[in-house]
Amino acid sequence: MTEEQRDSADRDGLDGGPWWAGLGPVGGAVLIVAGLALALFFFLFLGRSGSEQHLGVLLGAGKIVAIGLVLVGTALIARRRGTHETDADGNPPGGDDGTG
């Protein structure tokens, strides 16, 4: 790939990332609720029929919930790591203030 092609891809927003990469923890929570609501809707209103179409929708709802769980989990891990990497004053360890 030439540099000109990379620059045009960056301008077009075609970085190859997944569609859910920029949602964050709130978007993850929304995806979890939406996936569970979709699964509940199909289970309650369409019954327990074993048709392939219903099972496909439930699989899609499960995927939505899984993506939401990944987003929320990574946000919580990042927050936890961020709190442990600071000292009592809020400075990162080994910072430029000469204390670490």
Side-chain angles (χ1 to χ4, degrees):
M1 178 182 264
T2 66
E3 189 169 333
E4 182 179 317
Q5 290 172 334
R6 273 185 253 134
D7 290 341
S8 69
D10 290 340
R11 274 185 269 118
D12 295 338
L14 301 174
D15 59 346
W19 60 268
W20 47 266
L23 293 178
V26 175
V30 169
L31 285 177
I32 292 170
V33 170
L36 291 175
L38 180 65
L40 186 65
F41 172 78
F42 273 89
F43 185 73
L44 290 178
F45 292 112
L46 297 178
R48 295 182 196 105
S49 67
S51 72
E52 295 295 320
Q53 183 180 7
H54 294 134
L55 294 177
V57 171
L58 290 175
L59 176 66
K63 288 180 181 181
I64 292 171
V65 171
I67 291 171
L69 288 171
V70 167
L71 288 172
V72 171
T74 54
L76 290 175
I77 288 173
R79 180 179 293 176
R80 183 174 181 202
R81 284 185 181 170
T83 57
H84 287 293
E85 292 180 0
T86 59
D87 60 8
D89 296 330
N91 299 321
D96 293 331
D97 60 353
T99 60

